[in-house]
Amino acid sequence: MAGDGELKLLGMWTSAFVLRVRFVLNLKSLPYEFVEENLGDKSDLLLASNPVNKTVPVLLHAGRPVNESQVILQYIDEAWPDRPPAVLPSDPYERAVARFWAAYVDDKVRLAWLGILFRSETEEERAAAVAQADAALETLEGALRECSGGKSFFGGDGVGLVDVVLGGYLGWFTAIKKLIGRRMIDPARTPALAAWEDLFRATDAARGVLPDDADKMLEFRQTALALGASKKITL
């Protein structure tokens, strides 16, 4: 069957895009080998597996590479249809809605996250990026209410596509909290989303994988800045 074969994930422990793949592999209880890549010295395997973008994550399934995080998530769902839970809804309309909001996260939240941590040269620029993130998260507060049907997750009763995509950023949100002095997902602004964050961090999918050490994240940030990684989507 399509799901047979050894799984190897090339990634970095800090990467929001790698984390979402790890969440889904954990959700489906799929065993895999995690290979930590070096931001400043990428392996020959990574360069050969993703010669176009040369970035993580790369999922190797029986030696065949699958690139780009959201593509990988959908591939896992399709390759292991008998391993619940499904990341994407079965209903075509609900599936389209989930893809829309996942794309929104990787557009609006990603740009604000990069601005706060990697592209701001002044406090004014960082404040503008924080405001951009607040606006995006306020929009996602409404999306959570719409998609969840009053339940805990964007996926309803359980974790779905939008949950793992947004959840991947939570490690960096821990670092941002130390920088700006408050939670990025602010309970005063977005109470439903703040409750979602607490629940997501406690899931089996995230536990032990999602970084929670702000100092280590900020130390990695300094390494990334020194390597000029702010111009690359490799984090």
Side-chain angles (χ1 to χ4, degrees):
M1 62 179 288
D4 291 335
E6 181 182 273
L7 286 172
K8 182 180 292 188
L9 179 63
L10 311 184
M12 290 187 296
W13 66 278
T14 57
S15 171
F17 311 102
V18 172
L19 284 168
R20 59 184 61 165
V21 177
R22 300 190 75 180
F23 296 154
V24 171
L25 291 170
N26 290 347
L27 274 172
K28 290 182 174 287
S29 300
L30 291 169
Y32 66 98
E33 177 187 356
F34 182 66
V35 179
E36 182 75 30
E37 287 287 335
N38 185 328
L39 184 61
D41 185 20
K42 297 174 184 178
S43 71
D44 291 340
L45 179 59
L46 173 60
L47 298 177
S49 300
N50 190 356
V52 176
N53 295 321
K54 302 178 177 63
T55 58
V56 294
V58 175
L59 182 70
L60 293 163
H61 181 197
R64 298 183 300 175
V66 185
N67 301 318
E68 300 300 322
S69 64
Q70 291 207 38
V71 174
I72 295 170
L73 299 182
Q74 294 178 54
Y75 174 80
I76 293 170
D77 236 16
E78 293 169 1
W80 286 273
D82 57 340
R83 298 292 288 267
V87 177
L88 280 160
S90 58
D91 178 79
Y93 178 77
E94 291 178 2
R95 193 158 57 242
V97 170
R99 285 172 171 152
F100 172 85
W101 287 114
Y104 179 89
V105 170
D106 274 350
D107 179 13
K108 305 299 185 183
V109 175
R110 179 183 61 85
L111 288 177
W113 158 71
L114 285 171
I116 295 166
L117 286 166
F118 299 102
R119 295 179 178 170
S120 298
E121 296 183 0
T122 66
E123 287 303 315
E124 290 76 12
E125 289 178 351
R126 178 172 293 161
V130 170
Q132 182 182 11
D134 285 338
L137 292 168
E138 286 172 9
T139 299
L140 287 168
E141 173 89 352
L144 175 59
R145 297 182 190 280
E146 172 193 334
C147 296
S148 69
K151 297 177 181 177
S152 299
F153 297 100
F154 285 92
D157 288 317
V159 170
L161 178 67
V162 186
D163 298 287
V164 297
V165 169
L166 182 58
Y169 292 94
L170 294 180
W172 282 111
F173 284 6
T174 300
I176 290 172
K177 179 182 178 181
K178 188 155 190 177
L179 282 179
I180 69 173
R182 68 165 171 87
R183 284 175 63 172
M184 187 71 263
I185 299 179
D186 186 351
R189 292 175 178 269
T190 51
L193 205 57
W196 166 87
E197 177 184 355
D198 293 338
L199 288 171
F200 185 86
R201 286 181 181 274
T203 61
D204 290 339
R207 193 179 299 116
V209 173
L210 184 63
D212 60 2
D213 188 324
D215 291 330
K216 283 188 177 181
M217 297 293 285
L218 292 173
E219 181 180 339
F220 182 89
R221 169 179 174 259
Q222 290 305 120
T223 301
L225 287 170
L227 291 169
S230 62
K231 297 180 175 61
K232 303 173 186 177
I233 310 302
T234 57
L235 302 168

